[in-house]
Amino acid sequence: MSGVNDIRSTFLDYFRKEGHEIVASSPLVPRNDPTLMFTNAGMVQFKNVFTGLEKRPYSRASTAQKSVRAGGKHNDLDNVGYTARHLTFFEMLGNFSFGDYFKERAIELAWNLITKDFGLPKDKLLVTVYHTDDEAAGYWKKIAGFSDDRIIRIPTSDNFWAMGDTGPCGPCSEIFIDRGEHIWGGPPGTPEEDGDRFLEFWNLVFMQYEQVTKDERIDLPRPSIDTGLGLERMASILQGVESVFETDLFKHLIDAASSALGHGPGEENVGSFRVIADHLRSSSFLVADGVLPSNEGRGYVLRRIMRRAMRHAQLLGAKEPLMWQLVPALVREMGQAYPELVRGEALITETLKLEETRFRRRWCAVSACFRRRRSSSTPATCWTARRPSSCMTPTASRSI
Ligand code: GLY
């Protein structure tokens, strides 16, 4: 059951049996929503259903939603490759109630899925709640039997979820697993919370408000539920690996990169392989959804993602454009769940090939210029004027 594709099906089947309509993922470019750069969560396609502007023939839904968090309010680009859990593209599994069930049932549904169907060890689980949310804390005690020390109250925006500067929002409760002392990190709310030991994998949002403007927040017509479970994180837990990049799907993408490069990852360069695998997914899905690299807006963010991956391919010694060669592996892994990848395969391949060919040409020109500058006779403007926007100095740095 623990392959990524099986975990997705288990989640959706569970919520289907619990009376939820299974709704297809919406595109990464939100329809009719100029406030968002990319779809960054499962609730985006339901925004108007939460606020009451739109009616659907169901009051419970479940999705596996393609999400990109690069550019905009939720932006993980610079963390990718440096932590065990950050991705620019990920699949968010979610269940939604539009004025149907609320906190108690949402907590019960989540608890039963993770402890029964997924079989997670109860004694390793803990949760956060918004600091004033006594109701949610009470339900966790009643349903999971948690003592107070496993219900951590957080007073910050980490436990008050908002899609963007405006839109539906509300207090939330996040579910964490303690992966053991051998991994660095502390529980949520401690100075060591950014470590990987305590992994947050599911966020239950109790949608109660709509942020209309920066200063005005109103009640939603009906309290609702929006949850987001990171599929890749759940796969890492169920597969007993420490990083999302060691799960089956990523292993296959990294294997494809290793074959194309003629060498696999070592301790010193594993981050580059991870960046390439993650950015391959975000770039390919964005192209499949109609975004093309350009110098502004969404296209510019896509170009930054692509070039970051291409720079890492250079660091790994790629002699030829690399990214396009990995597309068949991605389509094999994810094409069944997302047929737009199959339909878009030729466009994705051509776009990646062209962009990397251009990037390499410019990179060579810039590197030659840089070498001339170091040997002193060339004016300094050469480097800065012609530097591609996403290229940094040849010294590897966290910003590439
Ligand atoms: N909408 C819930 C989440 O993204 O965590």
Side-chain angles (χ1 to χ4, degrees):
M1 191 276 281
S2 63
V4 166
N5 287 317
D6 302 321
I7 297 168
R8 190 191 302 109
S9 316
T10 302
F11 183 96
L12 295 174
D13 286 346
Y14 173 84
F15 281 104
R16 183 185 289 113
K17 285 190 203 120
E18 294 291 346
H20 293 64
E21 179 82 13
I22 306 306
V23 180
S25 172
S26 64
L28 284 169
V29 177
R31 295 186 186 106
N32 307 325
D33 193 341
T35 67
L36 263 194
M37 173 81 76
F38 299 120
T39 300
N40 59 12
M43 56 74 64
V44 169
Q45 65 167 313
F46 301 118
K47 178 180 166 182
N48 290 342
V49 187
F50 285 121
T51 59
L53 273 176
E54 188 189 333
K55 294 270 173 289
R56 300 264 176 122
Y58 43 81
S59 59
R60 299 171 175 206
S62 183
T63 58
Q65 174 65 52
K66 304 177 281 188
S67 306
V68 164
R69 291 191 176 175
K73 180 175 165 66
H74 299 271
N75 185 355
D76 289 332
L77 181 61
D78 290 336
N79 287 320
V80 174
Y82 300 95
T83 74
R85 62 187 191 281
H86 284 103
L87 297 166
T88 56
F89 174 93
F90 63 98
E91 289 180 76
M92 182 172 276
L93 304 178
N95 57 295
F96 306 91
S97 148
F98 310 115
D100 190 291
Y101 57 84
F102 195 45
K103 282 184 198 180
E104 181 171 12
R105 185 70 183 135
I107 290 174
E108 194 172 43
L109 285 168
W111 183 249
N112 287 342
L113 176 64
I114 59 179
T115 57
K116 293 188 182 142
D117 299 57
F118 287 152
L120 299 188
K122 294 180 185 172
D123 60 332
K124 298 280 182 247
L125 300 172
L126 61 156
V127 296
T128 59
V129 294
Y130 194 54
H131 64 138
T132 53
D133 196 349
D134 296 330
E135 209 186 3
Y139 290 135
W140 278 118
K141 279 187 193 168
K142 178 174 146 198
I143 294 162
F146 282 162
S147 48
D148 283 328
D149 60 330
R150 286 168 64 195
I151 305 171
I152 300 170
R153 289 172 183 260
I154 302 283
T156 65
S157 60
D158 282 352
N159 274 71
F160 194 94
W161 200 85
M163 175 191 102
D165 293 336
T166 59
C169 55
C172 60
S173 181
E174 297 183 315
I175 312 178
F176 289 73
I177 188 162
D178 177 359
R179 317 190 81 186
E181 277 173 12
H182 60 290
I183 302 174
W184 182 80
T190 65
E192 298 80 31
E193 67 178 4
D194 285 337
D196 286 317
R197 173 170 170 187
F198 291 85
L199 180 69
E200 183 247 319
F201 59 90
W202 202 349
N203 187 16
L204 314 184
V205 184
F206 311 124
M207 285 291 190
Q208 280 171 279
Y209 309 108
E210 179 181 359
Q211 194 73 40
V212 186
T213 63
K214 195 160 74 55
D215 303 313
E216 191 191 359
R217 185 184 287 167
I218 59 173
D219 285 341
L220 286 181
R222 295 170 306 166
S224 296
I225 289 295
D226 149 36
T227 83
L229 177 145
L231 172 58
E232 298 79 1
R233 292 185 185 192
M234 182 49 77
S236 73
I237 296 167
L238 293 177
Q239 293 176 18
V241 292
E242 283 180 17
S243 150
V244 293
F245 296 102
E246 294 165 69
T247 56
D248 59 328
L249 194 155
F250 274 103
K251 264 208 308 247
H252 295 145
L253 298 182
I254 289 173
D255 285 350
S258 305
S259 314
L261 285 161
H263 65 90
E267 211 178 307
E268 69 301 344
N269 61 15
V270 66
S272 291
F273 279 90
R274 291 174 173 187
V275 167
I276 287 169
D278 169 75
H279 292 10
L280 171 73
R281 296 206 315 165
S282 41
S283 304
S284 302
F285 274 97
L286 284 169
V287 172
D289 278 350
V291 185
L292 290 174
S294 73
N295 288 336
E296 55 188 22
R298 296 187 173 106
Y300 176 68
V301 178
L302 170 61
R303 175 162 277 163
R304 278 195 59 206
I305 298 171
M306 283 182 164
R307 291 194 166 189
R308 190 167 182 264
M310 290 162 186
R311 174 73 189 115
H312 280 272
Q314 299 272 80
L315 289 175
L316 291 174
K319 300 275 183 288
E320 303 286 336
L322 172 76
M323 299 297 286
W324 71 274
Q325 300 181 56
L326 313 181
V327 175
L330 177 66
V331 174
R332 247 187 335 269
E333 292 301 313
M334 300 192 72
Q336 199 172 349
Y338 297 98
E340 62 271 36
L341 274 186
V342 181
R343 290 194 297 273
E345 183 167 356
L347 177 66
I348 297 165
T349 306
E350 277 316 300
T351 307
L352 285 169
K353 200 189 236 176
L354 187 64
E355 189 70 13
E356 196 163 353
T357 305
R358 281 196 191 130
F359 173 76
R360 291 175 66 89
R361 218 178 279 140
R362 293 190 73 187
W363 180 258
C364 289
V366 166
S367 300
C369 168
F370 187 74
R371 280 196 301 276
R372 280 202 303 279
R373 215 183 107 196
R374 272 205 307 211
S375 69
S376 91
S377 55
T378 314
T381 49
C382 168
W383 165 258
T384 45
R386 300 196 54 209
R387 184 176 68 167
S389 54
S390 63
C391 297
M392 298 296 141
T393 64
T395 315
S397 86
R398 188 169 169 134
S399 54
I400 55 175

